[in-house]
Amino acid sequence: MEVNRCQAFFQSTDPQQKVKELQKVGNEEAVRWEALSASQHSPGPVAAGEVVCRQVTHPTFFDSETGKLKPTAFDDVSNKGLSVDRLSVATEKEIVERGEARNAEWNAKFSDKPSRTLHSLGHIHVNELRALFVGNERAFGIYDTALETNRSHADVCQLASGGPQQARSIRASLFEMTRCVPVDAQA
């Protein structure tokens, strides 16, 4: 039986460094891995036509003064992977409930810090993610990193490995392709 190198990589790599390690694998190989399951809990690889959602918390990722996403909402794409949920696997209601529960847990644990709320879901089309190139390298890969407690979980990872300026430019593109839907509009 052939070893699923993608799954082996995601199971054995330090989660905080997985994007840097994925870049070392090489762009072509990392892109091929998108067609493989990255998790034993996977419902299957992320398909081209899917939409994924980023939970946008306030004040962490949303600026009330400007009424816009903060660029920091996408910082994880260049280190541990941008955590998203797949709308083909979970409903928006389930994603909102999970986000609200996570924020309630955080607020109880860190009552001395500003309270977090779920502001919106940032919708991102997988086709748009996969269409972005830097030179001849794909900018992003998206992997079905399903969890036992969340089968809809996936990670968007920055595959292009340029310097800090290129990383900011790539994140800016991600920022532009994200459409935020306020939580109160989810009903």
Side-chain angles (χ1 to χ4, degrees), residues 75-131:
D75 283 354
D76 292 349
V77 77
S78 61
N79 51 50
K80 60 184 176 183
L82 186 72
S83 210
V84 295
D85 287 285
R86 299 166 63 180
L87 282 177
S88 66
V89 180
T91 65
E92 287 184 344
K93 182 179 181 208
E94 290 169 324
I95 297 166
V96 167
E97 287 172 356
R98 204 170 20 256
E100 288 175 341
R102 195 174 78 238
N103 285 331
E105 185 178 303
W106 190 92
N107 291 337
K109 187 175 181 179
F110 299 104
S111 59
D112 58 323
K113 297 189 181 208
S115 182
R116 288 184 181 176
T117 59
L118 185 61
H119 174 270
S120 56
L121 295 181
H123 290 216
I124 309 165
H125 290 268
V126 171
N127 287 341
E128 290 181 43
L129 281 170
R130 290 183 175 154

Side-chain angles (χ1 to χ4, degrees), residues 16-21 23 74-82 140 156-160 167-168 170-171 174:
Q16 299 299 314
Q17 297 298 316
K18 71 180 161 204
V19 173
K20 299 294 182 205
E21 294 301 315
Q23 289 172 351
F74 303 108
D75 283 354
D76 292 349
V77 77
S78 61
N79 51 50
K80 60 184 176 183
L82 186 72
F140 300 110
V156 178
C157 299
Q158 178 184 322
L159 300 180
R168 280 190 297 278
I170 291 169
R171 285 194 308 271
L174 184 58

Side-chain angles (χ1 to χ4, degrees), residues 29-45:
E29 183 73 5
V31 168
R32 276 195 293 275
W33 284 2
E34 287 181 301
L36 302 172
S37 294
S39 164
Q40 64 186 3
H41 307 291
S42 169

Side-chain angles (χ1 to χ4, degrees), residues 58-59 62-68 70 119:
H58 175 270
F62 186 79
D63 187 335
S64 295
E65 290 182 24
T66 64
K68 295 182 180 180
K70 293 180 181 179
H119 174 270

